[in-house]
Amino acid sequence: METMSDATWIWYPGDFEIWLGNRFNNRRTERGAMFPPFWKQDSHWATVEFRREVNLSMPEKVNVRVDGKFNFSLDGHLLFGEPSEITVPDGRHILSFKVFNQAAPPSIFLDSPSIRSGNDWMVSFEDKIWIDEEGVAHGSGTYVPAGCWNFCSPDCPPSLFRLPSRPEDAVQEKKISDRSVLVDFGRETFGYLVLQGIRGEGEVGVYYGESAAEALDREHCETLDRFVLTGCRDFTAPESKAFRYVLVDLPESMEVSRFSMLYEYLPCEGKACGSFECSDETVNRIWQTSAYTMELTTREFMLDGIKRDRWTWSGDAIQSYLMNYYLGFDCNCVKRTIRQLRGKDPVTSHINTILDYSFYWFISVRDYYRFSGDADFVREIYPRMKTMMDYVLGRLDDDGFAVGKSDDWVFVDWVDFPMHKRGVLCFEQFLLARSLEAMAECARVLGDESGPDYAAMARHLLEKTDRIFWSQDAGAYMHALEPELNPQITRFPSMFAIIYGYASEEKKKQILQHVLLNPDIPAITTPYMKFYEMEALCSLGKQPEVLEEIRSYWGGMLREGATSFWEKYDPSLCGEEHLAMYGRPFGKSLCHAWGASPAYLLGRYFLGVEPTSPGYASWTARPSLGGLAWMKGSVPTPYGCIRIEMDAETLMVTAPEGIGHGKIIADGKETGIEGGQTIEIFK
Amino acid sequence: METMSDATWIWYPGDFEIWLGNRFNNRRTERGAMFPPFWKQDSHWATVEFRREVNLSMPEKVNVRVDGKFNFSLDGHLLFGEPSEITVPDGRHILSFKVFNQAAPPSIFLDSPSIRSGNDWMVSFEDKIWIDEEGVAHGSGTYVPAGCWNFCSPDCPPSLFRLPSRPEDAVQEKKISDRSVLVDFGRETFGYLVLQGIRGEGEVGVYYGESAAEALDREHCETLDRFVLTGCRDFTAPESKAFRYVLVDLPESMEVSRFSMLYEYLPCEGKACGSFECSDETVNRIWQTSAYTMELTTREFMLDGIKRDRWTWSGDAIQSYLMNYYLGFDCNCVKRTIRQLRGKDPVTSHINTILDYSFYWFISVRDYYRFSGDADFVREIYPRMKTMMDYVLGRLDDDGFAVGKSDDWVFVDWVDFPMHKRGVLCFEQFLLARSLEAMAECARVLGDESGPDYAAMARHLLEKTDRIFWSQDAGAYMHALEPELNPQITRFPSMFAIIYGYASEEKKKQILQHVLLNPDIPAITTPYMKFYEMEALCSLGKQPEVLEEIRSYWGGMLREGATSFWEKYDPSLCGEEHLAMYGRPFGKSLCHAWGASPAYLLGRYFLGVEPTSPGYASWTARPSLGGLAWMKGSVPTPYGCIRIEMDAETLMVTAPEGIGHGKIIADGKETGIEGGQTIEIFK
């Protein structure tokens, strides 16, 4: 007998994420005011049909839980009311539930020995059934496999979802004045402030800070709360916040015996987690701080920063996904974020309103497929990729280039020099080409030939971009065409030409010399674009230079006292200057996912592991010490971890059971490795 | 000083209707099971910004009510928390509220001497504001005027909406058995059953019937309820139902002293209501029964039937709108229904999944504009007309004809003979041409030249349709091309060619003789298509024949005991045969809006009033007794009623103050009439 998976709540795929995303994104606050996104927020389908054929050898009673108003029909015959238990006779039968819920995704949970809700059920938001004069039903609805996650308790429908939390103590309480206490939790954290042993009543003022300076600045701290407490002994803040420090102003009449918090977190789901350790203690601390930064920003979704920002952003998320493939390998969080970012049709703006962020979204689907091998997700999301690409292609300029229209945000990066953002940017064309390649790959995976020839479109765009933007004189891709080629040179287009393999070997050399290692080209000051800059250098074999930069740039943040990595870091600033951004003294996020890229770089380019076929059906390990005396670590895959240990003399690689054929590349030599094997290579 | 209208709750236009439509359409039941629509149900925008510039001569305190989580910003500066009162300083200021509500449309209510929420506020579902490195905000969102209705109490946001009701008594209670009572409310009605003076407890069975036979048939009645009552003295059913009769089965232990109901209704909003009275008492009863049928089916929306159906259907609704222009002139209910039927983008099916019903939807907007002159509504709905027309045009066949694809329902009419519904139907082409003309007219009203030349498309389609489908031999438009011209002749295409003015004078004569007055062409058996058949005859001056048919067909239903008009009526049936449809003994709706067409025909073609410019800026009255000795009545307009009194010798027409120039046409002579005038014409 076939083993069945546990029953789980099911819904229309993507709808839980869209619904949760609305709650999530609308929880951001700015100095006590709610701060929702500036783009369209979609909703779940309010009415959904769930359908499955079953074949029973004997009749079965099925427990039914439904989140919404519903009906149930057996072979097209409706039952009275809303049954909490149904009896399905033996033989073949069609079960159908139709559920309406305006406030949360319609969802069902069914459990019996052989009938369980799961993603083998089909769902539709328009069943298009109609009856003719004779009462004969005709149907032409479109059905897709149901969505689900881990809601395996009948009492916990997705609408009751919240992340778990655990109590954490403060490390220090400091009296600032008669009525004010500064509480220090020792490092950046996220959760719900708790006041214990309250005596007295009145209004409490709470000022959160990622730094002590921020918490102490009641007028300028980014997040704050006011609570009127009456007659409670313990109090937990209703909303979660990011902070290391909390300044609490108590009213005259109140005493609090203890301040603590509930740390809110996403439980680990992956079969295996990445790890990294090496001979350099600074690098180890950098890896750990990166991993912690990712722990804090990987939640309901992969978000940008946890203090001010707390939204999903596509350009930030694609980096989080990549780091995640070398940390927790949480595929569900990646899928949730991809679904949430996309929302629903019609497409009325770029993702997050940003031109480049639409492109990163396409590319992230391709990345996800490469690491996970999850073709089911490609099948689910591809229709929304197509309509998104229709939107993108509908906004190209007359020459077929992607440009920012007046209602588009062209982001590229936060820079401190005047950078051209209008006209045709070479950087954006490379992203579009990569997006078209992602479309082509997904179409190929699904055998879909209904769309345009995306691969050919990518080739034509690349040919044109290379011809127009490459400057032999400069040894660089020029930044902008507006409509003449602008003399400005930035690192951005050249970096991406290398990462995406668009530059020839000759051009790569030129770029390395004239751009990447050229101090006259304005430096990158965000960890966001550092991610790609370091990746470009690694892919050119410059691990030693990258290691140096990791030590200096990320090590620099640690020396400034960082307990998680920042949104932006300029080593030339000092003291509280580091905290300012957006014209606000504490505007900078001190826990920003894009700050964590060493977690990716060390796994991908030092441990050197990457899939070469989707889902590690084949893979390579090309470890590089880059100047370290030794390193050891593990890279998660769908089958468990690949383990690497390396020093100057020895390289040991262990592959998990079930993984596809691997290839170890060391000192220019290739050695095969199969699942379950450990290979040791001596120099 | 400018007089201000009262403050009213405001929301994103159309969102209240879409949200209410979901509740409304999901309230349908079939034998106690919920019965939702088979098509996509959209939702309101979950996050909406409300914005307005104000200019105050002195500071003002404004009371704020918001349905949802929200923020408020004054000139871009966010206030802490969710203020219930704001103070706006003197001078020019931008007020902005951003509201999130997943369960019901985000909406606000503001009241102060000079700041009141109303449709002079602008709203957006994507404000597309973003900040640059310096914290400077840029915005490119699209804003439209807010939607509102009559929610003028701060305590009653739209999410609390429900129709009012009033108590009504039963006219008879009859003991059917020891424990069963048949309650008769005297005529078709709609509302909540009430049990008064309950003694005892237990489960009560309730079987509703539009006929006594239906209520008495517990196994086949279309709607029923079961209530478990414990310890209550009075009980009101939680859901409204349609019925004339109710069979109540009481448990052993229970006595009920009285059965009554709460009659639920839409309060009259129009400035004036239509009336009709004439020398023929049967015709008077037909008009009154039509008006009552429309009262029962005109509710949150204009729905098809009140018992089984209870959904909005575009083909039914367009007739309700037209009747309404000669009855209550409730423009808000027309607009609500048009918005609800359309839903939101993307368009994934025809309206109600029916090819013809998409066309009626376009045409109904044009009709509404003609009767109301409401260009604001055209401006609101036109973007959704364009995307709907894009969908329609994207599904034409290679020859540019509208055809039913495999997932489309091609309805035309319920007929008792085999009728071709696939291939190219001439009927559908006329509807498409009229839809294209509606697009052209709306584009012209708005001065929009961005779309295709809809008028030219309509001309080309008509030319082609006429050439292919007109048969000189038959003196008729042929029914279907599949791919050869099928020999079947139906009344449908020829009727519409006359009504829409597509047939030449010569062809009209041929059609009258060979189709309309030809008993060999299968008769129409639904009041639905009778509406158009009678209209075609009236427009050819055949009022006497139409009056005869009204007396015979609608009079026939009255003779069968109808207290409201039916979904279908075949005079050749008898007794309970009249109640059956869809293969079910009580499947037929005995209160169906499309049954009420005499209300339209008598106003439009006997009183003879119609607008000739939008909103009665000009109009004609061309009264026709059609064989009646006398008639008098009134036709509502945006300015009040036009009154007509006529007998064989005298015609008196009174025009309301403010209406545009009118023209009375009697005996081939034209007489002008202005607002406020009464003109008397003697033969």
Side-chain angles (χ1 to χ4, degrees):
Chain A
M1 193 183 136
E2 203 189 343
T3 32
M4 288 191 62
S5 57
D6 283 351
T8 188
W9 284 90
I10 55 176
W11 52 79
Y12 194 92
D15 272 8
F16 170 69
E17 288 79 356
I18 285 169
W19 170 83
L20 182 65
N22 289 354
R23 287 163 57 118
F24 181 87
N25 280 333
N26 284 310
R27 228 154 54 197
R28 172 173 175 176
T29 59
E30 199 165 291
R31 291 196 56 78
M34 169 216 189
F35 202 72
F38 301 127
W39 44 85
K40 170 166 78 81
Q41 297 189 267
D42 293 296
S43 291
H44 57 278
W45 297 120
T47 306
V48 171
E49 195 211 345
F50 300 79
R51 166 177 292 257
R52 191 175 185 338
E53 189 177 293
V54 298
N55 191 357
L56 300 184
S57 54
M58 59 178 77
E60 259 182 40
K61 283 192 176 170
V62 186
N63 289 312
V64 174
R65 295 292 187 94
V66 178
D67 197 6
K69 220 174 127 178
F70 76 101
N71 71 27
F72 167 68
S73 72
L74 180 71
D75 302 318
H77 299 287
L78 284 166
L79 261 66
F80 178 87
E82 302 194 330
S84 59
E85 184 184 87
I86 54 174
T87 301
V88 182
D90 59 339
R92 273 189 194 281
H93 300 285
I94 303 269
L95 314 186
S96 159
F97 289 85
K98 211 158 162 180
V99 186
F100 167 59
N101 191 336
Q102 187 73 66
S107 45
I108 64 170
F109 182 95
L110 298 184
D111 205 1
S112 82
S114 19
I115 300 175
R116 291 172 191 174
S117 46
N119 60 3
D120 49 358
W121 282 65
M122 301 299 282
V123 294
S124 178
F125 62 86
E126 49 174 3
D127 38 351
K128 287 193 183 178
I129 289 170
W130 48 276
I131 51 160
D132 62 19
E133 285 90 340
E134 278 70 48
V136 179
H138 305 261
S140 61
T142 45
Y143 288 80
V144 295
C148 63
W149 181 16
N150 60 4
F151 293 91
C152 296
S153 157
D155 299 326
C156 257
S159 60
L160 295 182
F161 174 76
R162 65 184 294 171
L163 287 175
S165 58
R166 59 172 182 252
E168 297 270 2
D169 291 331
V171 299
Q172 202 184 22
E173 288 180 21
K174 191 172 155 190
K175 253 192 144 41
I176 298 301
S177 72
D178 188 32
R179 307 294 332 147
S180 298
V181 186
L182 181 69
V183 186
D184 178 5
F185 287 88
R187 61 174 184 170
E188 177 86 15
T189 190
F190 188 93
Y192 304 85
L193 181 68
V194 177
L195 277 59
Q196 289 166 284
I198 303 166
R199 286 176 305 276
E201 312 189 324
E203 185 176 286
V204 178
V206 176
Y207 306 90
Y208 301 94
E210 293 191 312
S211 59
E214 183 179 10
L216 289 167
D217 191 337
R218 295 177 182 83
E219 297 307 309
H220 297 102
C221 64
E222 294 280 323
T223 57
L224 56 94
D225 271 326
R226 281 180 213 148
F227 304 118
V228 177
L229 305 185
T230 51
C232 57
R233 178 134 183 90
D234 296 325
F235 172 77
T236 303
E239 292 291 343
S240 55
K241 291 280 188 296
F243 52 88
R244 170 175 170 173
Y245 300 92
V246 183
L247 176 68
V248 184
D249 286 347
L250 296 175
E252 284 281 333
S253 49
M254 188 182 289
E255 298 298 327
V256 172
S257 61
R258 194 152 166 272
F259 299 92
S260 65
M261 71 169 298
L262 291 174
Y263 177 72
E264 193 193 57
Y265 63 99
L266 177 71
C268 184
E269 283 196 347
K271 282 192 182 171
C273 276
S275 66
F276 184 87
E277 207 185 335
C278 70
S279 51
D280 184 323
E281 205 37 52
T282 299
V283 175
N284 290 341
R285 279 183 60 217
I286 288 169
W287 189 91
Q288 287 149 14
T289 305
S290 295
Y292 184 58
T293 303
M294 276 294 288
E295 177 182 317
L296 287 170
T297 56
T298 302
R299 316 189 61 79
E300 291 90 338
F301 304 100
M302 296 198 178
L303 68 163
D304 59 341
I306 60 174
K307 176 178 68 171
R308 187 201 69 241
D309 335 58
R310 297 184 67 165
W311 291 344
T312 52
W313 291 91
S314 178
D316 307 55
I318 192 173
Q319 297 191 351
S320 292
Y321 307 151
L322 288 169
M323 298 176 220
N324 166 68
Y325 302 134
Y326 292 89
L327 288 167
F329 208 84
D330 186 332
C331 288
N332 284 322
C333 193
V334 173
K335 289 193 285 185
R336 285 200 300 278
T337 311
I338 291 176
R339 289 174 179 128
Q340 195 282 327
L341 281 167
R342 173 60 181 83
K344 289 196 174 179
D345 290 333
V347 181
T348 60
S349 83
H350 283 294
I351 289 185
N352 307 120
T353 76
I354 302 177
L355 178 64
D356 3 342
Y357 278 31
S358 288
F359 301 142
Y360 290 125
W361 183 82
F362 293 107
I363 299 166
S364 72
V365 176
R366 180 182 171 278
D367 286 349
Y368 172 69
Y369 177 62
R370 248 182 100 212
F371 280 91
S372 70
D374 180 357
D376 287 343
F377 181 67
V378 175
R379 186 165 298 110
E380 176 197 318
I381 205 77
Y382 185 67
R384 292 187 189 174
M385 293 176 77
K386 277 215 285 195
T387 44
M388 187 76 221
M389 185 52 84
D390 289 344
Y391 179 82
V392 165
L393 297 177
R395 292 166 81 86
L396 301 185
D397 75 1
D398 292 344
D399 298 318
F401 285 124
V403 292
K405 303 241 173 193
S406 61
D407 54 341
D408 296 336
W409 184 356
V410 177
F411 178 58
V412 188
D413 193 13
W414 295 128
V415 292
D416 297 319
F417 56 91
M419 181 169 78
H420 293 278
K421 289 199 170 184
R422 296 285 154 180
V424 183
L425 303 191
C426 181
F427 161 81
E428 302 285 359
Q429 312 320 310
F430 287 142
L431 290 186
L432 170 56
R434 194 60 156 191
S435 304
L436 289 165
E437 290 171 355
M439 290 302 297
E441 182 162 345
C442 292
R444 197 183 46 69
V445 169
L446 303 177
D448 179 279
E449 294 178 353
S450 67
D453 184 347
Y454 295 114
M457 293 169 78
R459 283 196 305 275
H460 296 152
L461 177 63
L462 283 174
E463 183 279 319
K464 198 161 52 177
T465 303
D466 193 81
R467 178 160 43 78
I468 291 177
F469 287 93
W470 176 256
S471 164
Q472 196 60 36
D473 295 346
Y477 286 100
M478 304 304 285
H479 184 77
L481 185 78
E482 38 153 17
E484 299 303 308
L485 209 55
N486 186 286
Q488 182 170 45
I489 300 177
T490 66
R491 291 170 188 258
F492 306 112
S494 296
M495 273 154 46
F496 280 84
I498 287 175
I499 298 165
Y500 293 162
Y502 294 159
S504 65
E505 290 308 314
E506 174 52 33
K507 284 176 184 161
K508 282 183 185 173
K509 281 183 207 152
Q510 300 264 334
I511 288 170
L512 183 63
Q513 180 187 347
H514 297 294
V515 182
L516 295 181
L517 302 179
N518 180 357
D520 294 338
I521 306 291
I524 282 169
T525 54
T526 60
Y528 174 50
M529 278 290 146
K530 277 265 183 234
F531 181 106
Y532 296 110
E533 187 185 29
M534 295 301 107
E535 176 154 38
L537 286 167
C538 285
S539 73
L540 296 174
K542 297 292 168 193
Q543 273 80 348
E545 288 78 358
V546 168
L547 191 69
E548 210 32 67
E549 182 69 11
I550 287 177
R551 270 196 281 249
S552 142
Y553 186 82
W554 280 271
M557 283 190 258
L558 291 185
R559 285 186 292 277
E560 295 287 348
T563 58
S564 54
F565 287 126
W566 303 352
E567 182 175 14
K568 199 168 175 227
Y569 171 56
D570 181 346
S572 70
L573 301 178
C574 74
E576 289 191 20
E577 285 176 3
H578 283 299
L579 309 176
M581 200 167 168
Y582 307 107
R584 307 200 300 240
F586 308 103
K588 189 176 290 166
S589 159
L590 300 191
C591 175
H592 221 72
W594 73 29
S597 51
Y600 171 66
L601 297 167
L602 293 167
R604 169 78 181 77
Y605 292 102
F606 287 74
L607 299 180
V609 173
E610 66 167 332
T612 50
S613 314
Y616 282 88
S618 68
W619 54 282
T620 60
R622 190 195 305 255
S624 169
L625 284 167
L628 294 166
W630 60 267
M631 66 179 178
K632 63 177 178 186
S634 54
V635 173
T637 77
Y639 305 93
C641 273
I642 297 168
R643 288 176 206 290
I644 308 273
E645 258 190 81
M646 189 181 193
D647 60 21
E649 280 81 43
T650 320
L651 166 62
M652 191 163 75
V653 180
T654 307
E657 289 285 353
I659 200 170
H661 176 72
K663 213 156 61 177
I664 303 166
I665 304 172
D667 295 324
K669 281 183 296 196
E670 291 186 9
T671 313
I673 177 168
E674 305 300 330
Q677 278 191 326
T678 296
I679 302 273
E680 219 166 341
I681 296 170
F682 303 93
K683 296 214 177 172
Chain B
M1 195 184 137
E2 202 188 342
T3 32
M4 288 190 59
S5 57
D6 283 350
T8 188
W9 284 91
I10 56 175
W11 52 80
Y12 194 91
D15 273 8
F16 170 68
E17 287 79 357
I18 284 169
W19 169 84
L20 182 64
N22 290 354
R23 288 163 56 117
F24 181 85
N25 280 333
N26 285 308
R27 228 155 52 198
R28 172 174 175 176
T29 60
E30 199 164 289
R31 291 198 56 79
M34 171 217 190
F35 202 73
F38 301 125
W39 45 85
K40 170 163 77 81
Q41 297 190 267
D42 293 297
S43 291
H44 56 276
W45 297 118
T47 306
V48 171
E49 195 210 344
F50 300 80
R51 167 177 290 260
R52 190 173 185 342
E53 188 176 294
V54 298
N55 192 358
L56 300 183
S57 54
M58 59 178 76
E60 258 182 42
K61 282 193 176 167
V62 186
N63 288 312
V64 174
R65 295 290 188 94
V66 178
D67 197 4
K69 223 174 125 178
F70 75 100
N71 71 26
F72 167 69
S73 72
L74 180 71
D75 301 319
H77 300 289
L78 284 166
L79 261 66
F80 177 87
E82 302 193 331
S84 59
E85 184 183 88
I86 54 175
T87 301
V88 182
D90 58 340
R92 273 189 193 281
H93 300 284
I94 303 269
L95 313 186
S96 159
F97 289 84
K98 211 160 161 179
V99 186
F100 168 58
N101 190 336
Q102 186 72 67
S107 46
I108 65 170
F109 182 96
L110 299 182
D111 205 3
S112 82
S114 23
I115 299 175
R116 292 174 191 174
S117 46
N119 60 3
D120 49 357
W121 282 65
M122 300 299 281
V123 294
S124 178
F125 63 88
E126 49 174 6
D127 37 351
K128 287 190 182 178
I129 290 170
W130 49 276
I131 51 161
D132 63 18
E133 285 89 339
E134 278 70 48
V136 178
H138 304 261
S140 61
T142 44
Y143 288 80
V144 294
C148 63
W149 180 17
N150 60 5
F151 292 91
C152 296
S153 157
D155 299 325
C156 256
S159 60
L160 295 182
F161 173 75
R162 66 183 295 173
L163 288 175
S165 58
R166 60 171 183 254
E168 297 271 0
D169 290 329
V171 298
Q172 202 185 20
E173 288 179 21
K174 192 173 152 188
K175 251 192 149 45
I176 298 299
S177 72
D178 189 32
R179 308 294 333 147
S180 299
V181 186
L182 181 69
V183 186
D184 177 6
F185 286 88
R187 59 173 184 172
E188 177 87 16
T189 190
F190 189 93
Y192 305 86
L193 181 69
V194 177
L195 277 57
Q196 288 166 283
I198 303 166
R199 287 176 307 274
E201 311 189 326
E203 186 177 285
V204 177
V206 176
Y207 306 89
Y208 300 95
E210 294 192 311
S211 60
E214 183 180 9
L216 289 168
D217 190 337
R218 296 177 180 85
E219 297 307 309
H220 296 102
C221 65
E222 294 278 323
T223 57
L224 54 93
D225 271 326
R226 282 181 212 148
F227 304 117
V228 176
L229 304 186
T230 51
C232 58
R233 178 133 182 88
D234 295 324
F235 172 78
T236 303
E239 292 293 343
S240 55
K241 291 281 188 294
F243 51 89
R244 172 176 167 174
Y245 298 92
V246 183
L247 177 68
V248 184
D249 286 346
L250 298 174
E252 285 282 332
S253 49
M254 187 182 288
E255 298 297 325
V256 172
S257 61
R258 196 153 165 272
F259 299 92
S260 66
M261 70 169 298
L262 290 174
Y263 177 73
E264 194 192 57
Y265 62 97
L266 177 71
C268 183
E269 283 195 345
K271 281 191 182 170
C273 277
S275 65
F276 184 86
E277 205 185 333
C278 71
S279 50
D280 185 325
E281 203 38 50
T282 299
V283 175
N284 289 343
R285 280 183 58 217
I286 289 169
W287 188 90
Q288 286 151 14
T289 306
S290 295
Y292 184 57
T293 302
M294 278 294 291
E295 177 182 317
L296 287 170
T297 56
T298 302
R299 316 189 61 79
E300 290 90 340
F301 304 100
M302 294 196 181
L303 68 160
D304 59 341
I306 60 174
K307 177 179 68 172
R308 187 200 67 244
D309 335 56
R310 296 183 68 164
W311 291 346
T312 51
W313 292 91
S314 178
D316 306 57
I318 192 174
Q319 296 191 351
S320 292
Y321 307 151
L322 289 169
M323 297 177 222
N324 166 68
Y325 301 134
Y326 291 89
L327 288 168
F329 209 84
D330 186 330
C331 288
N332 284 321
C333 193
V334 173
K335 290 194 283 186
R336 285 200 302 278
T337 310
I338 290 175
R339 290 174 178 127
Q340 194 282 326
L341 281 167
R342 174 60 182 82
K344 289 197 173 178
D345 288 333
V347 181
T348 61
S349 83
H350 283 294
I351 289 185
N352 307 119
T353 77
I354 302 176
L355 177 64
D356 4 340
Y357 278 31
S358 288
F359 301 141
Y360 291 124
W361 184 81
F362 293 107
I363 299 166
S364 73
V365 177
R366 179 182 172 276
D367 285 350
Y368 172 68
Y369 177 62
R370 248 184 101 211
F371 280 92
S372 71
D374 180 355
D376 288 342
F377 180 67
V378 175
R379 186 167 297 110
E380 176 198 318
I381 205 77
Y382 185 68
R384 293 188 189 174
M385 292 176 77
K386 278 214 283 195
T387 45
M388 187 75 223
M389 185 52 85
D390 289 345
Y391 179 82
V392 165
L393 297 177
R395 291 168 80 85
L396 301 186
D397 76 1
D398 293 344
D399 299 317
F401 285 124
V403 292
K405 303 240 174 194
S406 62
D407 55 339
D408 296 336
W409 183 356
V410 177
F411 177 59
V412 187
D413 193 14
W414 295 126
V415 291
D416 297 319
F417 57 91
M419 182 169 78
H420 293 278
K421 288 196 170 185
R422 296 286 152 178
V424 183
L425 304 191
C426 181
F427 161 82
E428 302 285 358
Q429 312 320 310
F430 286 142
L431 290 186
L432 171 56
R434 193 61 154 192
S435 303
L436 290 164
E437 290 172 355
M439 291 301 298
E441 182 162 344
C442 291
R444 196 182 47 70
V445 170
L446 304 176
D448 179 278
E449 293 178 356
S450 67
D453 185 345
Y454 295 113
M457 294 169 78
R459 281 195 305 276
H460 296 151
L461 177 63
L462 284 173
E463 183 279 319
K464 200 161 51 177
T465 303
D466 193 81
R467 179 160 40 78
I468 291 176
F469 286 91
W470 176 257
S471 164
Q472 195 61 38
D473 294 344
Y477 286 100
M478 303 305 286
H479 185 75
L481 186 76
E482 40 155 14
E484 300 302 307
L485 210 55
N486 185 286
Q488 183 172 46
I489 302 177
T490 66
R491 289 169 189 258
F492 307 114
S494 296
M495 272 154 45
F496 281 84
I498 287 175
I499 298 165
Y500 293 163
Y502 293 159
S504 64
E505 290 308 312
E506 173 51 32
K507 284 177 184 160
K508 282 184 186 171
K509 280 183 208 153
Q510 298 264 334
I511 288 171
L512 182 62
Q513 182 188 346
H514 297 294
V515 183
L516 296 182
L517 302 179
N518 180 357
D520 294 338
I521 307 292
I524 282 170
T525 55
T526 59
Y528 175 49
M529 278 290 144
K530 277 265 182 233
F531 181 107
Y532 297 110
E533 187 184 29
M534 296 301 106
E535 176 154 40
L537 285 167
C538 284
S539 74
L540 296 173
K542 298 292 167 190
Q543 274 81 349
E545 286 78 358
V546 168
L547 190 68
E548 209 35 63
E549 182 68 11
I550 288 177
R551 268 197 282 247
S552 144
Y553 186 82
W554 280 269
M557 285 189 257
L558 292 186
R559 284 185 295 275
E560 295 286 348
T563 59
S564 55
F565 286 127
W566 303 352
E567 183 175 14
K568 200 168 173 225
Y569 171 55
D570 181 347
S572 70
L573 302 178
C574 74
E576 289 189 19
E577 287 175 3
H578 282 300
L579 309 176
M581 201 167 166
Y582 307 106
R584 305 198 304 239
F586 308 103
K588 189 175 290 163
S589 158
L590 300 191
C591 176
H592 221 73
W594 74 27
S597 52
Y600 172 66
L601 297 167
L602 293 168
R604 168 79 179 77
Y605 292 103
F606 287 74
L607 298 179
V609 172
E610 66 167 333
T612 49
S613 316
Y616 282 87
S618 68
W619 55 282
T620 59
R622 189 195 304 257
S624 168
L625 284 168
L628 294 165
W630 59 266
M631 65 179 180
K632 64 179 178 183
S634 54
V635 172
T637 78
Y639 305 93
C641 274
I642 296 167
R643 289 175 206 289
I644 308 274
E645 256 188 85
M646 187 181 194
D647 60 21
E649 280 80 45
T650 323
L651 166 63
M652 193 164 74
V653 179
T654 308
E657 289 287 352
I659 200 170
H661 176 72
K663 212 158 62 179
I664 304 165
I665 304 172
D667 296 323
K669 280 182 295 194
E670 292 187 10
T671 313
I673 177 169
E674 304 301 330
Q677 276 190 328
T678 296
I679 303 274
E680 215 165 345
I681 296 170
F682 302 92
K683 297 216 177 172

